[in-house]
Amino acid sequence: MKFFMLIIGFALAVFGGVSLVAYLNLLTVGYSLQNFLLFLVQRIETYMFAAGIFIIWIIVYFPMKRGHKRKKI
């Protein structure tokens, strides 16, 4: 389950990140930085990138428990 979620998060982050890098070409076309950021907020790829990074962060820093550990006496 943990590996599957890591792959999902990685796929979302890669897809969103590649799209965001491709959108950097809009700056050379003549978009101002403010218009560019407003454009990015409206795109689903921005949220996919953020969700992917968040999923990866959760998987890495909050590992899932695998059952009960026995107490040592």
Side-chain angles (χ1 to χ4, degrees), residues 6-60:
L6 186 66
I7 295 298
I8 295 290
F10 183 74
L12 287 173
V14 167
F15 179 73
V18 168
S19 297
L20 291 178
V21 169
Y23 288 142
L24 284 173
N25 288 324
L26 293 174
L27 290 175
T28 61
V29 173
Y31 274 54
S32 68
L33 187 59
Q34 182 181 10
N35 287 341
F36 177 68
L37 293 176
L38 287 174
F39 174 77
L40 287 182
V41 169
Q42 297 173 353
R43 303 299 301 178
I44 190 71
E45 289 90 352
T46 305
Y47 299 108
M48 291 174 69
F49 177 73
I53 295 296
F54 183 72
I55 290 171
I56 292 170
W57 183 76
I58 291 293
I59 292 298
V60 169

